[in-house]
Amino acid sequence: MDPDEPLDRAPLPALDRRVAGCRACPRLVEWREEVARTKRAAFADRTYWGRPVPGFGPADARLLIVGLAPAAHGGNRTGRMFTGDRSGDVLYQALYDVGLASQPTSVSADDGLALHGVRVTSPVHCAPPANKPTPRERDTCRPWLVRELRLLRPTLRAVVVLGAFGWQAALPAFAEAGWAVPRPRPAFAHGARVPLDGLDLFGCFHVSQRNTFTGRLTPQMLREVLHTAATTAGLG
């Protein structure tokens, strides 16, 4: 599927539907579908999504959160970014704490969660083995993020990128989508803030279990970045 083909009159939902039907990366297709068949014992009675996971949130979002890729038994199971796993528990609690989410938990795609002025996406839409997409898979998936950024551009004012992988994948996507990205490209750091054309890009440690369990990223640190980005975006 070509992300640049014309979309219907509801372009972002149409793009999300196209993302969910992508089969461009054979290794990722095989992995996500195998996980959906074999399942984790705790979810043996659940039907897994087992497809690429599109972005989640309103089409007129002023703030965008960019992660890495769906988790095998999280987004690959539920069909929603950062839903049904420990990373999502931390992220959505923080979004709720700063007034950007209607509830503090996200357990399924039909749990009633709504985001206020914020959208969540990732540079890779399929769950990768060992949570590590290859550079080729990252680059193959980039056109989806580029198209999403172009559609969000009229309202987008701030972006929070979670982790170095997301940062390295997002900067070329912003450049391709038409933003002037500084050269040399800014290095990732927690708390980094880079002004682009009409928006600010913020770096934040990823909400991975490794970071949250060790205290490298605390709930307070995450709330502070989200609050600053939301205020910058006019949501505070």
Side-chain angles (χ1 to χ4, degrees), residues 197-213:
D197 303 325
L199 64 77
D200 282 42
L201 191 67
F202 295 86
C204 179
F205 289 142
H206 196 278
V207 288
S208 66
Q209 291 187 49
R210 176 180 298 177
N211 286 341
T212 57
F213 285 5

Side-chain angles (χ1 to χ4, degrees), residues 1-129:
M1 296 186 180
D2 185 353
D4 291 322
E5 289 181 359
L7 300 174
D8 61 21
R9 286 178 292 179
L12 194 56
L15 183 69
D16 290 343
R17 289 193 294 273
R18 290 188 183 180
V19 168
C22 184
R23 300 183 65 84
C25 299
R27 186 182 81 114
L28 298 186
V29 171
E30 181 180 2
W31 171 254
R32 77 188 192 215
E33 293 181 354
E34 175 65 18
V35 169
R37 283 192 297 271
T38 58
K39 307 180 182 181
R40 176 175 283 171
F43 307 121
D45 61 340
R46 310 289 177 85
T47 299
Y48 276 52
W49 172 256
R51 299 162 63 189
V53 181
F56 170 59
D60 60 350
R62 299 181 66 85
L63 171 62
L64 182 67
I65 298 173
V66 179
L68 189 162
H73 301 282
N76 190 57
R77 174 173 59 86
T78 67
R80 182 197 282 164
M81 287 288 177
F82 283 106
T83 292
D85 61 15
R86 295 290 182 88
S87 295
D89 292 344
V90 174
L91 178 62
Y92 286 112
Q93 178 68 61
L95 289 170
Y96 176 78
D97 290 343
V98 299
L100 298 175
S102 63
Q103 59 193 47
T105 59
S106 181
V107 296
S108 68
D110 60 355
D111 62 8
L113 174 68
L115 298 182
H116 307 315
V118 59
R119 183 172 169 86
V120 182
T121 192
S122 67
V124 176
H125 288 277
C126 290

